[in-house]
Amino acid sequence: MKVGFVGLGRMGQAMARRVLDAGHDIVLYNRTPEKTAELAAAGAAVVGSVAQAAQHGGVVVTMLANDDALRAVAQGPGGLLAALPAGGVHVVMGTHGVATVQALAKAHAAVGQALVCAPVLGRPEAVTAGKLGVIVAGPAEATARVAPLFEAIGRRTFDAGLEPGAAAAVKVANNLLLGCAIEALGEAFALTRKSGADPQLFYEVVTDGLFASPAYTVYARIIAEQSYDTVGISTLLGLKDANLALAAGEAVGVPLPSGGVWRDRLIGAIAHGDGERDWASVAMEQARASGLA
Amino acid sequence: MKVGFVGLGRMGQAMARRVLDAGHDIVLYNRTPEKTAELAAAGAAVVGSVAQAAQHGGVVVTMLANDDALRAVAQGPGGLLAALPAGGVHVVMGTHGVATVQALAKAHAAVGQALVCAPVLGRPEAVTAGKLGVIVAGPAEATARVAPLFEAIGRRTFDAGLEPGAAAAVKVANNLLLGCAIEALGEAFALTRKSGADPQLFYEVVTDGLFASPAYTVYARIIAEQSYDTVGISTLLGLKDANLALAAGEAVGVPLPSGGVWRDRLIGAIAHGDGERDWASVAMEQARASGLA
Amino acid sequence: MKVGFVGLGRMGQAMARRVLDAGHDIVLYNRTPEKTAELAAAGAAVVGSVAQAAQHGGVVVTMLANDDALRAVAQGPGGLLAALPAGGVHVVMGTHGVATVQALAKAHAAVGQALVCAPVLGRPEAVTAGKLGVIVAGPAEATARVAPLFEAIGRRTFDAGLEPGAAAAVKVANNLLLGCAIEALGEAFALTRKSGADPQLFYEVVTDGLFASPAYTVYARIIAEQSYDTVGISTLLGLKDANLALAAGEAVGVPLPSGGVWRDRLIGAIAHGDGERDWASVAMEQARASGLA
Amino acid sequence: MKVGFVGLGRMGQAMARRVLDAGHDIVLYNRTPEKTAELAAAGAAVVGSVAQAAQHGGVVVTMLANDDALRAVAQGPGGLLAALPAGGVHVVMGTHGVATVQALAKAHAAVGQALVCAPVLGRPEAVTAGKLGVIVAGPAEATARVAPLFEAIGRRTFDAGLEPGAAAAVKVANNLLLGCAIEALGEAFALTRKSGADPQLFYEVVTDGLFASPAYTVYARIIAEQSYDTVGISTLLGLKDANLALAAGEAVGVPLPSGGVWRDRLIGAIAHGDGERDWASVAMEQARASGLA
């Protein structure tokens, strides 16, 4: 199928590459054109505007860093709302606020277009390895139309129903769950460390059975080794995720006390200069609060 | 080896059975003697007092429900401190407070005995299946002496060093981690549910990748299905665990804000009559706080 | 002095009336003109646009409900940034976000105007009684120029320095302090009520000595009498204040855990249908969480 | 009336002095006899045991530091339960756990005695100045009998009913309210300070109107001046109060999230070496968490 791709950071590039490799007819647009070079060399066409990407085949995937970037691409004279043809589909694959997605879905619907919300679970490595999960929600017809893209990009598609906001909420909740797990790990490590237990021992206990999953293995290791400078997700980006979760909770009337604890630790870590370190820095902040650092 | 076993609830029975099956010479004592019947039928000797259990071979395993029960068995005229011979070993395998274990270890040492703290990771089913993890800390000689017991009972021994309190802290921290994970699951489920996502869908997302571990699989299912009446650990017992964690944190100067959130939800659940339901009831309480129930 | 007044809700009307009564030359603008009727009858001139208010004498007071309203009045073709003459002063007296005030101050400075931030402490009744406190921050010259307004409106001016954002932060922090006090009252009332103490008795204890101040007297009474339907500030407006505080904390790196607890209770109250009740509804929500309601 | 006084720390001495000055027939007992010297010089009789104090006239006031001290004085061969005559009254005026007071009340009742719980509001200076508030609960007859003592000691008596535990709960809740207010002050000061506002300015705002009460005036000053070394109540004692509140909440099913935040800050302050500083140290701990210290 014909598809335009807007937003080619590390995730976007990895995803576009899989779509390209699956034989789809893809055109690329990125604000800073350098990021399209590698894919262009692999055969993808590069266009000079969002509007051109939208008009390539009426389906555009966006993979953008935040809500402001998404709105900037969607609105205004050359934006997706103006440029997509009637019946066009905007596939939003970044992690965005539930309210932002809902408002944009409404705006697309108002001009006869559809928004499919399809945030992903995994990092660029997972994309390349074909291990990505994709959470999909949107109007049935539009979702069916773009399903081949998800097959190309990911390993498994989770059907979150007809309301785009639900997919956004699931993604935001997934990140909330991860952030709270890291914060709890930070608390548990501080407790055992000050009680005289070796962090490596606690790492082994945590990753041996009950919690033997990628989330705990990855973050328990970072905390046990205090290796906060190898950054997967930065603390500042983590704060964006925490704010998305708390805003989503506010919008539907769900207090999130563990989420609040997590957010406070992120802010404390940033106040101590750890904003660019890995978001596991909440464990460092917890150690500080325990008089350990 | 010769060993006395005190405390034969479901966990104690399963553990004693494995010790018996491994060919050790075991005697049993339980306050309510009915609970020894099955093991007696399998060949274990039953004695009428803690003191007799202590004098069988100078090694006693206790598997008791709480700190009060542990103190009751250890102290007083017929207690372990009085009855164990010099050089005797008290192997504490229940989940107890760090301060309680430390104080008791000191009391045993003062009369020439040793306390080995060896709390376990897993439920009765895991014991029977030979899948139990055992966290062990205590004086080197005593720990070495009782190592065959752990080999009989469990799959893996985690060496937490020479201080018994460290093993207790690791166990308490493990429970803290689990409780906080359940609370965070409760928050994430409430958020997605009120955002229009099917709980079953969120269950699948959670258990598919990042969090694919027994803890999340078990509790995400309970929450998705709202099956709080099949009780693994009751809410009231969970509150005991939360209090152990917060007391351990206080003792070594570690604030535990996620732990506090978890404890508050447990108390709220109990206030709403869910004390005897599964401790996943914190998710029900979170749902209530979100206007869902 | 000549001054334009934009935003004539209950607070704005009471403030404008004092300025008028002090003999200043005042013109009024409100989006819904009905609200200017009473003051017009008392002799104030009414104008038809923000721009006219700005051009009356180069000093405009705004008293608006939220950041969106403030931005709408300041920006765009007929907004204050465009309409105020060089050297003009925008006196922001509403409760606004620190970042919003800082950004707007910068925008005014860039076109040779000044922003003085002057949020107030007190309700309409306090204005009328001449009891209002005014927190003032802004460039020295501009602040001096508009000082007669504060003398007319209030009882006492608090000098918060040269940075407008500092005055906004003080106001936001004041509301945070109040919100947290109400939440703590809610917790203390639930605790005593479930312990068998009469709420009226606890009301008397609280207001007798240590806490004998308007904040505690007003809110302890509401909670003791459960009179949440006489609304001073609504729960929804309270949530706006909580969000302003948490956003201000995030901007300068200050975690606000009590603020987070307060915000969660507001959200819970709204989830239970109390959004339009008095923001003391956090105490009702606390009662619910305690199984009392 | 004849009364024995047990526990003569600073508060106990000030209270006993007022009882003596009011013309009552008082005997004193304190574990460390030095503390009775001043009162003895003023004419009070000193006895050598709790039992003698109990038998002086069948009414004993205790003013003890914690629950352990209270139990030690009440239980055992020479304790109040054994030594008070039938019909005797134990007036518990210290700050104690609700459960401890309830259990002790039951024990007294079982042997035909009565416990009146009468915790006080105020410091030694307030006692001397005749400004103390007394919260009283207990059996009607016993309470009436000892009422002259409260008239001698305090300014006002608050009637908390017939259940001694209710008075204990009111006192514990009062301390909770104060602790949470100090924590909120710490958050508000950190927010304004990092936003560029002078702490002295914020002190003036806080103490000017809405919060103009002793609690806020005293603690806002300590925080504004960072004078944590002039100790009214130590951080370690504050932690005792926080634990009493949380335990009381647990006992009756009341989650106390603000109380939990407060407790965490106290623990963090202790972890940073501030255990012996004033319990306003929670504000210092909040400043640390904000990267300020």
Side-chain angles (χ1 to χ4, degrees):
Chain A
M1 63 184 290
K2 296 174 98 171
V3 59
F5 229 97
V6 173
L8 293 152
R10 285 188 60 220
M11 277 301 283
Q13 287 186 48
M15 289 157 65
R17 164 65 70 134
R18 288 188 66 88
V19 173
L20 183 65
D21 289 354
H24 295 290
D25 175 358
I26 184 171
V27 303
L28 313 173
Y29 172 77
N30 199 66
R31 209 176 38 172
T32 48
E34 299 74 30
K35 298 203 171 159
T36 58
E38 205 175 311
L39 283 158
V46 178
V47 295
S49 70
V50 167
Q52 287 173 282
Q55 285 150 3
H56 177 57
V59 172
V60 167
V61 170
T62 56
M63 186 65 200
L64 297 158
N66 53 48
D67 286 10
D68 282 346
L70 179 63
R71 276 187 291 256
V73 157
Q75 298 169 344
L80 292 177
L81 287 162
L84 274 175
V89 184
H90 178 185
V91 187
V92 176
M93 299 193 73
T95 299
H96 296 289
V98 177
T100 299
V101 166
Q102 287 171 327
L104 190 54
K106 211 169 154 183
H108 277 297
V111 292
Q113 304 159 357
L115 183 152
V116 173
C117 187
V120 298
L121 301 163
R123 298 201 180 172
E125 300 75 34
V127 183
T128 304
K131 293 190 172 166
L132 208 67
V134 187
I135 308 155
V136 180
E141 196 182 346
T143 302
R145 177 172 169 196
V146 299
L149 294 175
F150 307 140
E151 280 156 35
I153 291 171
R155 170 184 55 83
R156 181 172 175 187
T157 299
F158 299 92
D159 178 359
L162 302 177
E163 289 300 326
V170 166
K171 167 68 177 177
V172 158
N174 181 76
N175 292 3
L176 167 72
L177 205 53
L178 182 53
C180 291
I182 302 173
E183 165 61 22
L185 277 169
E187 298 183 18
F189 267 98
L191 176 57
T192 50
R193 198 172 144 201
K194 285 198 83 172
S195 300
D198 182 2
Q200 183 57 29
L201 179 273
F202 191 62
Y203 166 79
E204 283 172 26
V205 168
V206 165
T207 57
D208 179 66
L210 204 50
F211 303 101
S213 64
Y216 283 76
T217 304
V218 166
Y219 289 103
R221 171 165 298 143
I222 292 175
I223 297 168
E225 298 178 351
Q226 304 191 44
S227 55
Y228 301 104
D229 288 321
T230 309
V231 182
I233 296 167
S234 74
T235 303
L236 284 161
L237 270 176
L239 182 55
K240 189 201 84 168
D241 281 344
N243 284 336
L244 288 180
L246 292 184
E250 178 180 337
V252 293
V254 176
L256 297 169
S258 300
V261 167
W262 169 45
R263 180 179 178 272
D264 271 337
R265 285 273 186 255
L266 290 165
I267 291 175
I270 293 165
H272 284 101
D274 301 330
E276 299 295 349
R277 288 202 166 105
D278 189 85
W279 70 339
S281 66
V282 293
M284 199 172 7
E285 186 62 14
Q286 163 69 30
R288 265 189 215 107
S290 308
L292 273 169
Chain B
M1 63 183 290
K2 297 175 96 168
V3 58
F5 229 97
V6 174
L8 294 152
R10 284 189 61 221
M11 277 301 284
Q13 288 187 48
M15 289 157 66
R17 165 64 72 133
R18 287 189 66 89
V19 172
L20 182 66
D21 289 352
H24 295 289
D25 176 358
I26 184 171
V27 302
L28 312 172
Y29 172 77
N30 199 65
R31 211 174 36 172
T32 48
E34 299 74 31
K35 297 204 171 159
T36 58
E38 204 175 312
L39 282 158
V46 177
V47 295
S49 70
V50 167
Q52 285 172 282
Q55 284 150 3
H56 176 58
V59 171
V60 167
V61 170
T62 57
M63 187 64 201
L64 298 159
N66 54 46
D67 288 9
D68 282 347
L70 179 63
R71 276 187 292 257
V73 157
Q75 298 169 345
L80 292 177
L81 287 162
L84 274 175
V89 183
H90 178 185
V91 187
V92 176
M93 300 193 73
T95 298
H96 296 289
V98 177
T100 300
V101 167
Q102 287 171 328
L104 189 55
K106 213 168 152 182
H108 277 296
V111 293
Q113 302 159 358
L115 183 153
V116 172
C117 187
V120 298
L121 301 163
R123 299 200 178 174
E125 301 75 33
V127 183
T128 304
K131 292 192 171 165
L132 207 68
V134 187
I135 307 155
V136 180
E141 199 183 341
T143 302
R145 179 172 166 194
V146 300
L149 294 175
F150 307 140
E151 279 156 34
I153 292 170
R155 172 185 53 83
R156 181 175 175 185
T157 299
F158 298 93
D159 178 0
L162 303 177
E163 291 299 327
V170 166
K171 169 67 178 178
V172 158
N174 181 77
N175 291 3
L176 167 72
L177 205 52
L178 182 53
C180 291
I182 302 172
E183 164 62 22
L185 277 168
E187 298 183 16
F189 267 97
L191 176 57
T192 51
R193 198 171 143 204
K194 284 197 84 170
S195 301
D198 182 1
Q200 183 58 29
L201 178 274
F202 190 62
Y203 167 79
E204 282 171 26
V205 168
V206 166
T207 57
D208 178 66
L210 203 51
F211 303 101
S213 64
Y216 284 79
T217 304
V218 167
Y219 289 103
R221 171 166 297 143
I222 293 174
I223 298 168
E225 298 177 352
Q226 303 191 46
S227 56
Y228 301 104
D229 287 320
T230 310
V231 182
I233 297 167
S234 75
T235 304
L236 284 162
L237 269 177
L239 182 54
K240 190 202 83 166
D241 280 345
N243 284 336
L244 288 179
L246 292 183
E250 178 181 337
V252 293
V254 175
L256 297 169
S258 300
V261 167
W262 170 44
R263 180 178 178 273
D264 272 337
R265 284 276 185 252
L266 290 164
I267 291 175
I270 293 165
H272 284 102
D274 301 330
E276 299 296 349
R277 287 205 167 103
D278 189 84
W279 70 338
S281 66
V282 293
M284 199 173 5
E285 185 62 15
Q286 163 71 30
R288 266 189 214 106
S290 309
L292 274 168
Chain C
M1 61 184 292
K2 298 176 94 167
V3 58
F5 230 97
V6 174
L8 294 151
R10 285 189 60 221
M11 277 300 284
Q13 288 186 49
M15 289 158 65
R17 165 63 72 133
R18 287 189 65 89
V19 172
L20 182 67
D21 289 353
H24 295 289
D25 176 357
I26 184 171
V27 302
L28 312 173
Y29 172 77
N30 198 65
R31 212 175 34 172
T32 48
E34 299 73 31
K35 298 204 171 159
T36 58
E38 204 174 313
L39 283 158
V46 177
V47 296
S49 70
V50 167
Q52 284 172 284
Q55 284 150 4
H56 176 59
V59 171
V60 168
V61 170
T62 56
M63 187 64 199
L64 298 158
N66 54 46
D67 287 9
D68 282 346
L70 179 63
R71 277 187 292 256
V73 158
Q75 298 169 345
L80 292 177
L81 286 162
L84 274 176
V89 183
H90 177 186
V91 187
V92 177
M93 299 193 73
T95 298
H96 296 289
V98 177
T100 299
V101 167
Q102 286 171 328
L104 189 54
K106 212 167 151 183
H108 277 297
V111 292
Q113 303 159 358
L115 183 153
V116 172
C117 187
V120 298
L121 301 163
R123 298 200 180 173
E125 300 75 33
V127 183
T128 304
K131 292 190 172 168
L132 207 67
V134 187
I135 307 156
V136 180
E141 199 182 343
T143 302
R145 179 173 168 195
V146 299
L149 294 175
F150 307 140
E151 280 157 33
I153 293 171
R155 171 184 54 83
R156 181 173 174 186
T157 299
F158 297 93
D159 178 359
L162 303 176
E163 291 299 327
V170 166
K171 169 67 177 176
V172 159
N174 181 77
N175 292 3
L176 167 73
L177 205 53
L178 181 53
C180 291
I182 302 172
E183 164 61 23
L185 278 167
E187 298 183 18
F189 267 97
L191 176 57
T192 51
R193 198 171 144 204
K194 285 198 83 171
S195 301
D198 182 2
Q200 183 57 29
L201 178 274
F202 191 62
Y203 167 79
E204 283 173 26
V205 168
V206 165
T207 57
D208 178 67
L210 204 51
F211 304 102
S213 64
Y216 283 76
T217 303
V218 166
Y219 289 102
R221 171 165 297 143
I222 292 174
I223 298 168
E225 299 178 352
Q226 303 191 46
S227 55
Y228 301 104
D229 287 320
T230 310
V231 181
I233 296 166
S234 75
T235 304
L236 284 162
L237 270 177
L239 182 55
K240 188 202 86 168
D241 280 345
N243 284 336
L244 288 179
L246 292 184
E250 178 180 336
V252 293
V254 176
L256 297 169
S258 300
V261 167
W262 170 44
R263 180 179 178 273
D264 271 337
R265 284 275 186 254
L266 290 164
I267 291 174
I270 293 164
H272 284 101
D274 301 329
E276 299 296 348
R277 288 204 166 104
D278 189 84
W279 70 338
S281 65
V282 293
M284 199 174 3
E285 185 62 15
Q286 163 70 29
R288 264 188 216 107
S290 309
L292 274 168
Chain D
M1 63 183 291
K2 296 175 97 169
V3 58
F5 229 96
V6 173
L8 293 152
R10 285 189 61 219
M11 278 301 284
Q13 287 186 49
M15 288 157 65
R17 164 65 72 133
R18 288 189 66 88
V19 173
L20 182 67
D21 289 353
H24 294 290
D25 177 358
I26 183 171
V27 302
L28 312 173
Y29 172 76
N30 199 65
R31 209 176 37 171
T32 49
E34 298 74 31
K35 298 204 170 158
T36 59
E38 206 174 311
L39 283 159
V46 177
V47 295
S49 71
V50 167
Q52 285 172 283
Q55 285 150 3
H56 177 58
V59 172
V60 168
V61 171
T62 56
M63 187 65 199
L64 297 159
N66 53 48
D67 287 9
D68 282 346
L70 179 62
R71 278 187 291 256
V73 157
Q75 299 169 343
L80 291 176
L81 287 162
L84 274 175
V89 183
H90 177 183
V91 187
V92 176
M93 299 192 73
T95 299
H96 295 289
V98 176
T100 299
V101 166
Q102 288 170 326
L104 189 53
K106 213 170 152 180
H108 277 297
V111 293
Q113 304 159 357
L115 183 153
V116 172
C117 187
V120 298
L121 301 163
R123 298 202 181 172
E125 300 76 33
V127 183
T128 304
K131 292 191 171 165
L132 207 68
V134 186
I135 308 154
V136 180
E141 197 183 342
T143 301
R145 177 172 169 196
V146 299
L149 294 176
F150 307 141
E151 280 156 33
I153 291 171
R155 169 184 56 83
R156 180 173 176 186
T157 298
F158 298 93
D159 178 0
L162 302 177
E163 289 300 327
V170 166
K171 168 68 178 177
V172 158
N174 181 76
N175 291 4
L176 167 73
L177 205 53
L178 181 53
C180 290
I182 302 173
E183 165 61 22
L185 277 168
E187 297 183 18
F189 267 98
L191 177 56
T192 51
R193 199 171 144 202
K194 286 198 83 170
S195 300
D198 182 1
Q200 183 58 28
L201 177 273
F202 190 62
Y203 166 79
E204 283 172 25
V205 168
V206 166
T207 58
D208 179 66
L210 203 51
F211 303 102
S213 65
Y216 282 78
T217 304
V218 165
Y219 288 104
R221 172 165 296 143
I222 292 175
I223 297 169
E225 299 177 350
Q226 303 190 44
S227 55
Y228 301 103
D229 288 320
T230 309
V231 181
I233 296 167
S234 75
T235 304
L236 284 162
L237 270 176
L239 182 55
K240 189 201 84 166
D241 281 344
N243 284 335
L244 288 180
L246 293 184
E250 179 181 336
V252 293
V254 176
L256 297 169
S258 300
V261 167
W262 170 44
R263 181 178 177 272
D264 271 337
R265 285 275 186 253
L266 290 165
I267 291 174
I270 293 165
H272 283 102
D274 301 329
E276 299 295 348
R277 288 203 166 104
D278 190 84
W279 70 339
S281 66
V282 293
M284 200 174 4
E285 185 62 14
Q286 164 70 30
R288 264 189 216 106
S290 309
L292 273 168

